[in-house]
Amino acid sequence: MEKLRVLHVDVGGCEGCSVSIMRAYPRLMERIDLDISYLRNGDLKHDRYDVALITGGVCMNEPRIAEELREVREKAGVIVAFGSCSALGGILRFCRGGQTPRPDHRNFQPINSVIYVDYSIPGCPPTPQMLQSFFRYFMEGKETRLRLFRVTAGVKKLSGFELIDDVVLTGLCVGCGACELSCPTCAIKLVDKRPTLIPERCIRCGTCYVRCPRASQILLGGVKK
């Protein structure tokens, strides 16, 4: 089986998503040829890539980053926003600037604000197993298994706030607890089998929304809010 040419580019973040990719790679080595050229100063291994994994949010005060993203878009057949900062802005949305050494870094957005994204995989960070499953279904052509990630690629904001508004307050919640279990900061607690949000802990990663079966149905158009 011919390996996929996969490029990983990080545009700024905590590197948790990059670590997740590295942890996933040993079980993907037979399927993909991973280029991590961003870690060094040098040319890319290939002129064209089948898939580009992009981690980190794009700083709108840094034109160079936006230009790099556009170049990656031209080189890659498929763009995957991997992790919540890349997919939805995540915790980077809280940046206000004023810090040394780059006080102008105050406006971070998901990469779909700059380029077209084919798939978005939220998570802070997504698990290595999630990336392994993505490539398995992608290479097997099982698009129905990836439909949620494709739909999420067109969304610019998801968080616990949207979960409460769209699912809990509308009476759609089934009390399964998936949101509580998936939250990386324990911002959601079930009280009487209903999620309660602790606002100051929510980092707007969108993991709870994507993991919630009812919210996922909303994204896929199966449930009207």
Side-chain angles (χ1 to χ4, degrees):
M1 179 177 61
E2 185 176 354
K3 291 184 179 182
L4 287 180
R5 291 181 176 181
V6 179
L7 174 66
H8 173 208
V9 176
D10 181 74
V11 294
C14 71
E15 305 305 328
C17 293
S18 299
V19 171
S20 187
I21 292 172
M22 293 300 102
R23 290 179 61 196
Y25 185 54
R27 294 197 175 186
L28 291 170
M29 292 179 68
E30 294 182 356
R31 292 175 176 265
I32 71 174
D33 174 18
L34 181 64
D35 182 4
I36 52 174
S37 297
Y38 79 92
L39 291 173
R40 63 181 184 271
N41 293 322
D43 296 331
L44 299 179
K45 289 171 60 176
H46 309 291
D47 293 329
R48 293 286 302 172
Y49 291 86
D50 299 299
V51 178
L53 300 172
I54 300 179
T55 57
V58 55
C59 180
M60 304 303 286
N61 307 108
E62 187 65 83
R64 176 183 59 84
I65 298 298
E67 185 60 32
E68 287 182 4
L69 286 175
R70 295 187 184 100
E71 291 177 1
V72 172
R73 176 71 270 185
E74 292 178 0
K75 290 179 178 291
V78 170
I79 295 288
V80 178
F82 187 75
S84 292
C85 289
S86 180
L88 300 165
I91 196 171
L92 292 178
R93 287 188 181 274
F94 291 94
C95 291
R96 294 294 182 269
Q99 72 280 10
T100 302
R102 297 303 300 272
D104 55 337
H105 282 196
R106 63 186 179 274
N107 181 3
F108 285 82
Q109 298 291 326
I111 65 170
N112 66 6
S113 296
V114 176
I115 61 173
Y116 176 78
V117 174
D118 298 278
Y119 300 96
S120 285
I121 305 178
C124 190
T127 64
Q129 293 79 10
M130 186 172 292
L131 186 62
Q132 291 162 359
S133 296
F134 171 84
F135 275 112
R136 182 173 73 252
Y137 296 137
F138 181 78
M139 295 188 74
E140 292 174 356
K142 295 182 178 179
E143 183 63 26
T144 54
R145 295 293 188 98
L146 302 176
R147 187 175 166 222
L148 179 61
F149 297 140
R150 184 174 285 279
V151 171
T152 305
V155 177
K156 289 185 170 60
K157 182 178 71 170
L158 287 178
S159 69
F161 297 94
E162 281 76 38
L163 181 76
I164 297 298
D165 287 343
D166 295 349
V167 178
V168 180
L169 297 183
T170 57
L172 294 175
C173 178
V174 296
C176 68
C179 56
E180 182 182 44
L181 291 173
S182 65
C183 180
T185 61
C186 300
I188 295 180
K189 296 293 182 182
L190 256 62
V191 178
D192 295 330
K193 296 185 178 181
R194 289 294 178 269
T196 298
L197 182 68
I198 305 173
E200 58 269 24
R201 288 187 178 180
C202 180
I203 59 173
R204 297 183 178 274
C205 69
T207 308
C208 61
Y209 202 101
V210 174
R211 294 289 180 85
C212 170
R214 301 296 274 174
S216 296
Q217 285 181 295
I218 291 172
L219 284 174
L220 296 174
V223 172
K224 293 183 179 179
K225 294 187 285 184

